[in-house]
Amino acid sequence: MFYRAIILFCLIVATISTGTKSPRIVIVGAGASGIAAAAKLLENGYEDILILEAENRIGGRVNTVKFDDYWIDLGAQWVHGEKGNVVYELVASLNLTDHSSPYEDKVYTSTGELIDPVMTKNITDIYLQYMDSVEEITRVECNRSIGECFENKLNNDFARFPEVNETLKEQLLWLFDIMQTSYDPADTWYDISAKDYFEYVMCDGDQVINWKERGYSTVFDILMKKIPNPEEELPVLNKTILNSEVTKVDYSTEDDTVKLTTHDGKEYVADHVIMTPSLGVLKAQHETLFNPALSESKVRNIKNLGYGNACKIFLAFNDTWFNPTGSKNGGYRIIWTKEEREKLDSNPKTRWLAYAIGFFFVEHKPRLLYIWVSGKGARLMDDVTDEEVFDQVSQMLYNMMSKNYNVSRPIAVIRSKWHQNKHFRGTYSYRSMETVATNSSATQLAEPIVKNKKPVVLFGGEATNEHHFSTVHGAIGSGWREANRLINLYAKKK
């Protein structure tokens, strides 16, 4: 009798389990969006989850690595803002980050002439004020490209500075161009649309919050609840398969499931797939990746949302000759003449150099400098080896600084390579002239593919975030959004 009761109990449990079986969810990509989606689903009791990651690590465009004695970020580096920033809300109480200090920098020519610091600060402040008031400028005065809008205004402002001759004016405009493309990674600021530029919503507060001695990958430990209580860690890593590049997403099945195939021929079946690859990957692979082909609307958004490049080069030194005052936040910007840029552009090995904004300090890593290479330059660097980059930046630094500093040669160099990596093909999204001309948007890109009223293929990633694209907090928010889409779907079925 006892054994019959046990058997009956098991049958009942099996029946209940079958009737309430967790849907099979596959997440493509273990970057900020994918990790956030998986953590949110696991927190809400969804166990049948799998993450397929093409790289040999998690993190996506967040990539913290050891360099010299420090942890550095080859990808995302700062928390941009506080109010309304989900990353800041995650870390604010944990004492893991540090606020920025007043920024101090100087502007040098490529041959080492210091440009009047008061004048360059005043002109730079004007440019930054235009960035802060871009919504008013574009609505009232100009709705063309950011380059056209800002250049017209800056040319008028230059008249207030008699020391700015035509050569220096052209140099400063180039500097502001590559500064702008460090925010919006187009090839040039003439590719960035002024209309609806304000669609991006800046979170109030400090825009360059750093991770002290750590790196941005700390956010994954927080998302997975390893921090602050390791015993509460969610099993996200146990559900992640690395080196698993997805080559086919087939949603043509009659039973509304999705079959995924990876580069090694393995197949996975899911009730829902959350796609979080970069927009660059979607641009390059959407025609071969999806079956059936994506809708015209989806393809239009993939093609016309802007997506570009940026690169960072980190240099390590034996000393801190470049920062004698111990400044926490600052560095040295560089300006190039038109003739210098034309000469650099004539050689495929040096074309990228004119897109280097300058050399800057790294918070809490005093023996390091980093170089930010904007837009087109980050792509042009694909033609240059690491050894050549090392020699070029060492020489550039010497030419620029040796008249005023006792310059020593770097002892090590490391750089990011986002464009040449087929799993990223760039860094982050922006609003291009084509974006506005075709009425494309992150909201449309984020729309799921629905079959029989069920979202079978969902889209996450920073490029799908309407107001916080190009950021880690935007990527995390998009992952939570798609996880909640599924959580709400099944809540309605209960």
Side-chain angles (χ1 to χ4, degrees):
M1 187 70 179
F2 173 78
Y3 293 106
R4 290 177 61 187
I6 290 293
I7 293 170
L8 180 60
F9 174 79
C10 291
L11 288 172
I12 292 171
V13 169
T15 302
I16 293 173
S17 176
T18 302
T20 60
K21 184 175 68 173
S22 178
R24 297 164 295 180
I25 302 170
V26 173
I27 300 169
V28 178
S33 181
I35 295 292
K40 177 70 71 173
L41 289 164
L42 287 166
E43 281 183 287
N44 284 270
Y46 291 79
E47 297 292 337
D48 199 346
I49 295 171
L50 184 67
I51 306 176
L52 299 176
E53 168 55 49
E55 291 279 292
N56 62 359
R57 60 175 180 84
I58 70 165
R61 284 163 280 171
V62 175
N63 186 16
T64 304
V65 301
K66 195 69 179 288
F67 173 62
D68 195 54
D69 292 331
Y70 305 108
W71 289 102
I72 62 158
D73 284 305
L74 292 175
Q77 187 166 338
W78 299 278
V79 180
H80 299 302
E82 301 167 50
K83 186 177 180 180
N85 184 319
V86 296
V87 173
Y88 184 76
E89 291 167 358
L90 285 168
V91 305
S93 65
L94 300 175
N95 193 31
L96 296 173
T97 55
D98 185 23
H99 285 280
S100 63
S101 60
Y103 188 82
E104 303 172 11
D105 74 354
K106 297 177 181 178
V107 178
Y108 286 87
T109 67
S110 64
T111 55
E113 301 300 323
L114 175 64
I115 307 300
D116 180 6
V118 175
M119 181 269 293
T120 54
K121 182 181 186 308
N122 289 337
I123 291 179
T124 301
D125 285 346
I126 291 171
Y127 161 69
L128 295 175
Q129 287 169 12
Y130 290 154
M131 285 195 65
D132 289 339
S133 57
V134 67
E135 181 173 355
E136 179 182 350
I137 292 172
T138 56
R139 279 182 170 167
V140 177
E141 303 177 37
C142 177
N143 62 1
R144 298 183 296 277
S145 71
I146 286 291
E148 291 174 278
C149 295
F150 285 8
E151 185 173 312
N152 288 338
K153 294 184 72 65
L154 286 165
N155 274 324
N156 293 330
D157 293 311
F158 285 140
R160 295 158 46 189
F161 301 90
E163 63 269 49
V164 179
N165 57 30
E166 288 301 313
T167 297
L168 184 54
K169 181 190 300 184
E170 201 278 333
Q171 288 175 293
L172 289 169
L173 285 174
W174 175 259
L175 175 62
F176 293 138
D177 184 336
I178 61 176
M179 285 175 63
Q180 187 67 46
T181 54
S182 73
Y183 301 114
D184 305 278
D187 280 3
T188 169
W189 62 355
Y190 301 113
D191 297 328
I192 306 165
S193 176
K195 185 178 180 182
D196 294 342
Y197 186 83
F198 44 86
E199 184 178 79
Y200 177 85
V201 176
M202 185 178 293
C203 299
D204 291 341
D206 190 348
Q207 296 300 308
V208 282
I209 298 169
N210 68 78
W211 292 89
K212 299 184 183 178
E213 292 79 11
R214 293 172 173 264
Y216 215 130
S217 63
T218 305
V219 76
F220 299 120
D221 288 335
I222 300 169
L223 285 169
M224 295 185 290
K225 298 192 179 301
K226 184 176 180 180
I227 295 176
N229 300 311
E231 64 274 10
E232 296 179 5
E233 182 176 0
L234 297 167
V236 174
L237 298 180
N238 293 339
K239 295 179 178 294
T240 302
I241 304 177
L242 301 177
N243 300 303
S244 294
E245 178 187 346
V246 173
T247 56
K248 183 68 68 177
V249 180
D250 188 342
Y251 61 100
S252 66
T253 58
E254 294 183 0
D255 61 358
D256 296 340
T257 60
V258 183
K259 185 171 72 174
L260 298 98
T261 307
T262 55
H263 72 291
D264 53 3
K266 293 181 180 177
E267 294 184 348
Y268 304 87
V269 176
D271 298 299
H272 308 276
V273 173
I274 302 178
M275 298 290 299
T276 70
S278 73
L279 178 58
V281 169
L282 293 178
K283 285 177 180 290
Q285 299 180 20
H286 72 85
E287 291 182 345
T288 59
L289 188 57
F290 296 96
N291 181 46
L294 296 177
S295 67
E296 290 185 12
S297 173
K298 185 70 72 177
V299 171
R300 170 175 54 82
N301 284 276
I302 289 172
K303 286 184 175 180
N304 293 301
L305 283 167
Y307 184 79
N309 302 280
C311 177
K312 284 185 289 186
I313 306 168
F314 287 88
L315 303 173
F317 297 85
N318 278 325
D319 54 18
T320 59
W321 63 265
F322 46 84
N323 190 7
T325 63
S327 177
K328 179 179 170 183
N329 192 12
Y332 310 96
R333 287 181 286 160
I334 184 171
I335 55 174
W336 305 88
T337 65
K338 184 176 181 180
E339 292 72 24
E340 287 174 326
R341 301 200 309 269
E342 289 174 347
K343 182 178 179 180
L344 292 172
D345 194 54
S346 67
N347 181 349
K349 294 291 187 178
T350 61
R351 294 163 65 194
W352 71 272
L353 283 165
Y355 297 85
I357 297 176
F359 297 82
F360 305 97
F361 310 144
V362 185
E363 303 95 334
H364 296 277
K365 287 111 183 181
R367 290 190 296 99
L368 301 185
L369 285 175
Y370 78 90
I371 306 167
W372 186 282
V373 183
S374 283
K376 187 177 182 179
R379 188 172 71 251
L380 296 174
M381 282 185 69
D382 282 3
D383 296 327
V384 188
T385 67
D386 289 353
E387 292 74 17
E388 289 168 334
V389 167
F390 180 82
D391 290 337
Q392 288 171 340
V393 297
S394 298
Q395 188 63 51
M396 180 170 66
L397 185 62
Y398 181 82
N399 294 343
M400 180 179 167
M401 305 293 293
S402 61
K403 291 180 180 180
N404 297 282
Y405 294 85
N406 184 19
V407 178
S408 64
R409 189 172 174 83
I411 59 173
V413 64
I414 189 173
R415 60 161 164 157
S416 55
K417 301 176 182 179
W418 297 107
H419 176 262
Q420 63 181 252
N421 188 324
K422 70 174 183 176
H423 299 148
F424 302 103
R425 300 185 183 272
T427 49
Y428 45 91
S429 63
Y430 68 97
R431 298 295 171 262
S432 70
M433 299 297 287
E434 290 76 19
T435 303
V436 174
T438 59
N439 195 33
S440 299
S441 70
T443 302
Q444 295 175 70
L445 181 62
E447 291 177 359
I449 297 172
V450 177
K451 293 180 67 176
N452 294 322
K453 299 182 179 181
K454 184 181 85 169
V456 292
V457 182
L458 301 83
F459 293 87
E462 54 85 13
T464 71
N465 195 307
E466 180 180 10
H467 297 305
H468 299 294
F469 53 90
S470 79
T471 66
V472 177
H473 62 268
I476 290 173
S478 75
W480 286 348
R481 181 195 66 218
E482 297 311 310
N484 284 327
R485 192 191 299 273
L486 295 180
I487 292 167
N488 293 334
L489 173 71
Y490 284 93
K492 293 176 182 178
K493 293 183 177 183
K494 291 181 180 178

